[in-house]
Amino acid sequence: MRHLITLLLLLFSFSAIPQVLEEIVVTAKKRNQSIQDVGMSVGVMLDEDIDQALQGGIDVLGLANRLPSLHIESSNGRLAPRFYVRGMGNVDFDLNASQPISFIYDDVILENPAAKSFPLFDIERLELLRGPQGTLFGRNTTGGILKFDSRKPAPHSSSEFRLSLGARDHLRADMALNRPLNDSNINVRFAFMANSIGDWIDNTTPQREVSDALGGFEDYAFRLLLDVQPTEKTNVLLNLHGRALDGTPTIFYANAIRPGSEGEFVDGFSRDKVSLDAFDQHFQESKQLGLFATVKHTLGGMSLVSISGIHSVLDQISRGDVDGGYGSVFGGILPSGPGPGIPFDAQTADTLDNHLQITQELRLEGKVGSRHWLVGFYAFLEDLEIETYNFDSVFVPHTLNGYVNQVQDTRAFALFGTIDLISQEDWDVSAGIRLSSDSKDFTAIRTQSPLSFLGIEGIGPISVSPSDTVMTWDVSANTKISEGVNGYVRVARGHRAPSIQGRLLFQDTVSVGDTESNLSVEVGAKALTLDNRLRLHAALYNYRVDNFQITKIGGVANVSELINVATLVGSGTEIEFDWFLNESWLVTGGLSLNFTELSDSDLSVNGCGSASLLSGCTVTDPQLPNGEYLIDGNNLYNSPERIVNFSVRYEKALEIGDFEVATDWAMRSALRFTLYESLEYRDDGAIEGGARVGIQLTGSRHRVSFFVRNILNDESMIGSIDFNNLTSMLNAPRTWGIEYKHLARN
């Protein structure tokens, strides 16, 4: 008991020597700046926090709700994550879908939904830029940007190896090697990741029961960085990267929601049991390869920067038993289940072929006195082909009965520039402008229909070619309120280029979303106080989006249609802090309140398909004479009003070594998964917590840690499918493990 009391006193003792916060440097304005001096809302996660959130085999979805106003979900397994910032996002699952949130990896925008799933490893920093980013980053950033920066080569030799083993046969190995060559004129960094989980979900379909049938994956990725300085004034950074994934797509649970309840699970529901008649045809594979090149050349007092990017999804297929059950009442094949039965079977697959994205940015930047300026040119080219298949699960199982082909070519060009209009010691004003031109050529054809038994055959080819030229801008002012406290105001206009939805399996038309435009006003304050031990940021914002692009999915007709809402309005607040209590204790936290509202008096949609089928759902919006439901005034789907997150880290140098205890938590309020409001298609909130306990022995470079994720084993829905039965998708269960880490530097 005496030793236990001594240990507790050590843990909770305060040091007389204060620990100061390290400066956070961000590149939100395409130059290195202290986060305190950037006149916009920027959330940051550093390497250690990212690694902790992703322990146990978790992908980018593990960052959901880790920063204020950030939510992430997916209905495509480890492919095609969808991001939501300040409530703005789009649930479209097609592989040419456009999102209002851009994903930037090492300064190159990855536009395709599949490319946005590139694994996170050897990451230095995540920057969440909230609000429109149309000037410096361009198109499709009306809601914000997630910007990831990997660790770059350094002029010293070092190595890092990390191995974790855990529940459900989890194994992850990370390696990074850094070497200087040729008297440090050339620096090389190679990073590799292998990440896997074994199958852990039982298939309980009668006559097809198999233990540990689904849920596993193997994911491999590498990055080779070559930093070359051929002359004193020129620097070249080459980035070759690739990925290979083989695993299970999202698991769909049929009739998991209790009819008439507010998103409650049926009695006896279990996350590790599913009943699929096509479980052995439930898989996904993806291969990606890319090459980025960044060249910086000094020209007197100016710098010329070129960023070139080629990224390709070489070969991708995802196939799933979307109805989430077995059999089909419609097909007259019984039994059918689980639950009251499956109205009709749905087994689909999508492939992404011939995908190639090429980007080029060229900019010139410099200073006039203390005022920064920047002008640039940007080009984006993307070609892709999507094939969508539908399979029979009842009459002749696994045979093809539907096929759609989509081909899309995108061309986008822009001129942009920013300048500090005023740059003084106590305040500054900056402004930017961008002229963007976008065009798409799209063709879709259906050669076989799943509804051929009703006399519905092929259609097309159907071609559309939307285009637009748009000017966006931003103005921001940053002022010193007092010592260590800055205030700012930012007004920004962004746009999302015309988008196309062309899945023709169950519809005969291709829909086009016209350009959306967002005008956002934001005010905020940033303080660094208590002898640089407390960093506190706060922001208030309001935005209005005209012609907001949104996707209607599922419903009675089981269609995917892209529409424009007359107006989307949003408002809210964000608060973030980092606080070093002393040299041992670090506490961080954040809170966001996000409110959205669709404003369109003529806006109506079909209700859920299950409303008239076996399992039923309860739509609460007003119903119109045509059978549709009025959704004017509803908030956006997948838009939690409240996000709360915090972390606590304790570090102590003991006689045997450096001891660490850390915990982090993220909580969100209720979500709705459909444009219309219903009792069933919602989740009342989620909480995810993790913890880590580790020690690095004195004089050693070896660290051993124990970790756990989803401590409370929270069971929450992350999505649903509304066209057939009360089908849901769930978060990951509790996982735990042990991690070994080795660091070496010469």
Side-chain angles (χ1 to χ4, degrees):
M1 179 62 69
R2 184 185 64 187
H3 297 296
L4 177 59
I5 294 175
T6 301
L7 178 59
L8 291 174
L9 289 174
L10 281 172
L11 289 177
F12 291 96
S13 61
F14 281 77
S15 170
I17 304 175
Q19 176 78 34
V20 298
L21 291 164
E22 293 183 5
E23 181 183 39
I24 295 180
V25 176
V26 296
T27 56
K29 292 189 175 182
K30 295 200 171 181
R31 68 176 190 262
N32 291 333
Q33 289 179 281
S34 168
I35 193 172
Q36 302 299 115
D37 299 329
V38 178
M40 71 171 73
S41 179
V42 181
V44 174
M45 285 186 72
L46 300 180
D47 51 358
E48 193 169 357
D49 299 317
I50 295 172
D51 291 343
Q52 183 170 333
L54 302 185
Q55 285 181 309
I58 301 171
D59 65 348
V60 69
L61 298 189
L63 302 182
N65 312 309
R66 296 285 156 193
L67 291 170
S69 296
L70 173 64
H71 182 62
I72 311 173
E73 54 87 21
S74 176
S75 59
N76 291 283
R78 301 181 76 83
L79 300 176
R82 296 186 288 260
F83 305 98
Y84 302 79
V85 176
R86 291 180 171 174
M88 290 184 63
N90 188 7
V91 299
D92 194 346
F93 56 84
D94 209 1
L95 292 175
N96 71 330
S98 168
Q99 303 291 338
I101 311 301
S102 281
F103 184 92
I104 298 178
Y105 211 133
D106 285 338
D107 295 324
V108 174
I109 289 179
L110 299 181
E111 182 71 11
N112 187 269
K116 293 178 181 179
S117 69
F118 195 83
L120 303 178
F121 62 103
D122 202 35
I123 296 295
E124 179 181 5
R125 180 178 64 244
L126 158 64
E127 297 178 24
L128 172 62
L129 313 185
R130 305 181 181 99
Q133 306 296 324
T135 298
L136 289 175
F137 298 97
R139 58 200 294 275
N140 302 348
T141 63
T142 48
I145 284 175
L146 272 80
K147 187 175 182 294
F148 292 92
D149 292 309
S150 64
R151 295 188 181 100
K152 301 302 187 290
H156 59 256
S157 293
S158 65
S159 63
E160 177 179 326
F161 177 74
R162 185 159 58 104
L163 176 67
S164 63
L165 304 171
R168 301 193 301 281
D169 296 326
H170 164 62
L171 185 150
R172 174 162 178 165
D174 289 78
M175 178 188 69
L177 298 174
N178 195 98
R179 293 290 185 271
L181 304 175
N182 194 24
D183 296 328
S184 296
N185 288 330
I186 301 176
N187 299 312
V188 180
R189 186 175 185 89
F190 176 74
F192 174 79
M193 179 208 78
N195 194 11
S196 68
I197 284 179
D199 289 327
W200 57 277
I201 300 175
D202 297 336
N203 191 65
T204 62
T205 301
Q207 317 304 323
R208 303 203 72 194
E209 295 184 12
V210 177
S211 298
D212 296 334
L214 298 161
F217 69 88
E218 294 181 355
D219 201 358
Y220 304 92
F222 77 92
R223 185 186 301 112
L224 177 62
L225 297 173
L226 187 66
D227 189 296
V228 184
Q229 191 164 359
T231 70
E232 184 178 344
K233 296 183 177 182
T234 304
N235 181 264
V236 180
L237 178 64
L238 300 177
N239 179 331
L240 177 66
H241 54 273
R243 184 249 190 121
L245 168 71
D246 184 359
T248 303
T250 294
I251 300 297
F252 306 101
Y253 298 86
N255 293 313
I257 310 169
R258 183 161 56 85
S261 71
E262 295 188 5
E264 298 175 4
F265 295 111
V266 296
D267 294 340
F269 176 79
S270 175
R271 184 165 33 192
D272 59 2
K273 296 184 187 300
V274 72
S275 297
L276 305 178
D277 46 20
F279 77 90
D280 49 354
Q281 299 295 321
H282 208 75
F283 63 90
Q284 63 181 196
E285 300 171 0
S286 181
K287 296 181 178 64
Q288 299 183 36
L289 188 64
L291 176 63
F292 302 160
T294 300
V295 181
K296 296 182 180 180
H297 182 69
T298 302
L299 298 169
M302 301 180 296
S303 295
L304 181 65
V305 181
S306 170
I307 303 175
S308 307
I310 299 176
H311 191 91
S312 176
V313 181
L314 301 173
D315 182 21
Q316 178 170 302
I317 181 172
S318 186
R319 179 170 173 173
D321 195 345
V322 183
D323 60 69
Y326 62 91
S328 170
V329 173
F330 179 83
I333 305 298
L334 297 176
S336 175
I342 307 303
F344 53 87
D345 65 287
Q347 184 188 159
T348 63
D350 288 296
T351 67
L352 183 60
D353 301 316
N354 304 319
H355 170 265
L356 179 65
Q357 173 193 297
I358 299 175
T359 60
Q360 175 62 54
E361 178 176 324
L362 188 65
R363 67 178 190 259
L364 188 65
E365 55 195 30
K367 293 176 66 176
V368 177
S370 60
R371 295 185 299 163
H372 290 266
W373 60 268
L374 177 155
V375 294
F377 166 79
Y378 182 77
F380 174 92
L381 312 173
E382 184 184 52
D383 298 333
L384 59 84
E385 180 180 5
I386 304 168
E387 293 180 298
T388 301
Y389 304 86
N390 198 84
F391 301 92
D392 184 6
S393 294
V394 177
F395 299 105
V396 185
H398 312 318
T399 58
L400 182 69
N401 65 4
Y403 174 80
V404 174
N405 179 274
Q406 303 176 68
V407 176
Q408 178 175 292
D409 298 333
T410 302
R411 304 290 182 265
F413 305 94
L415 297 172
F416 62 94
T418 66
I419 187 171
D420 292 338
L421 300 174
I422 301 173
S423 181
Q424 298 183 2
E425 182 178 353
D426 291 342
W427 69 297
D428 60 76
V429 178
S430 63
I433 193 169
R434 188 182 188 106
L435 181 65
S436 302
S437 177
D438 287 86
S439 64
K440 291 181 179 179
D441 293 319
F442 177 90
T443 299
I445 183 172
R446 184 180 68 218
T447 61
Q448 188 176 4
S449 170
L451 305 178
S452 59
F453 60 89
L454 298 177
I456 299 176
E457 301 299 338
I459 190 172
I462 302 174
S463 298
V464 294
S465 297
S467 63
D468 202 359
T469 300
V470 178
M471 183 171 291
T472 54
W473 51 266
D474 73 327
V475 179
S476 63
N478 194 38
T479 184
K480 182 179 179 180
I481 298 175
S482 62
E483 188 65 33
V485 181
N486 290 348
Y488 69 88
V489 178
R490 181 174 187 259
V491 182
R493 178 175 288 279
H495 89 286
R496 181 153 50 129
S499 305
I500 304 167
Q501 167 53 252
R503 296 179 69 89
L504 297 178
L505 273 177
F506 296 98
Q507 61 197 52
D508 293 338
T509 59
V510 170
S511 54
V512 176
D514 296 330
T515 300
E516 77 178 34
S517 179
N518 183 13
L519 180 62
S520 170
V521 179
E522 176 183 316
V523 296
K526 299 182 178 183
L528 187 61
T529 185
L530 297 183
D531 296 324
N532 290 350
R533 291 188 292 115
L534 174 63
R535 180 165 40 231
L536 178 63
H537 295 177
L540 293 169
Y541 71 87
N542 182 273
Y543 64 76
R544 174 191 171 103
V545 186
D546 295 323
N547 286 330
F548 181 64
Q549 298 175 24
I550 201 166
T551 305
K552 301 190 298 184
I553 293 180
V556 173
N558 187 23
V559 299
S560 297
E561 181 183 2
L562 189 60
I563 62 173
N564 285 102
V565 178
T567 305
L568 167 70
V569 292
S571 61
T573 184
E574 294 136 358
I575 300 173
E576 300 171 274
F577 72 90
D578 302 306
W579 188 10
F580 256 122
L581 302 181
N582 60 33
E583 66 175 4
S584 296
W585 289 92
L586 172 64
V587 180
T588 70
L591 164 69
S592 61
L593 299 174
N594 306 122
F595 305 98
T596 60
E597 181 178 335
L598 301 171
S599 179
D600 191 329
S601 59
D602 298 324
L603 187 60
S604 62
V605 298
N606 283 313
C608 50
S610 56
S612 58
L613 297 172
L614 296 175
S615 49
C617 79
T618 311
V619 181
T620 58
D621 284 321
Q623 189 170 21
L624 301 177
N626 64 1
E628 294 189 344
Y629 294 89
L630 186 66
I631 63 171
D632 179 38
N634 286 2
N635 66 319
L636 271 179
Y637 42 37
N638 288 311
S639 175
E641 288 188 354
R642 183 178 64 257
I643 292 175
V644 178
N645 54 76
F646 70 90
S647 70
V648 179
R649 176 172 288 115
Y650 173 85
E651 296 179 347
K652 188 72 175 180
L654 304 176
E655 288 187 8
I656 59 172
D658 295 332
F659 176 71
E660 177 200 35
V661 179
T663 184
D664 62 285
W665 294 82
M667 293 155 280
R668 62 156 174 82
S669 59
L671 284 181
R672 196 181 70 251
F673 305 120
T674 55
L675 286 172
Y676 56 84
E677 293 186 351
S678 71
L679 294 180
E680 292 85 358
Y681 290 121
R682 68 188 305 274
D683 182 85
D684 62 2
I687 178 170
E688 201 281 336
R692 182 175 63 195
V693 179
I695 190 166
Q696 182 170 336
L697 299 179
T698 301
S700 168
R701 294 173 176 174
H702 309 281
R703 174 178 287 269
V704 177
S705 304
F706 296 91
F707 67 85
V708 59
R709 299 301 321 173
N710 195 2
I711 294 175
L712 302 180
N713 201 27
D714 175 70
E715 195 171 60
S716 300
M717 281 189 283
I718 61 172
S720 60
I721 297 177
D722 74 333
F723 71 85
N724 197 348
N725 59 73
L726 293 170
T727 300
S728 70
M729 297 164 273
L730 272 69
N731 63 336
R734 177 168 51 220
T735 188
W736 53 269
I738 184 171
E739 179 182 275
Y740 164 77
K741 189 174 184 178
H742 173 76
L743 296 171
R745 175 173 174 175
N746 295 336

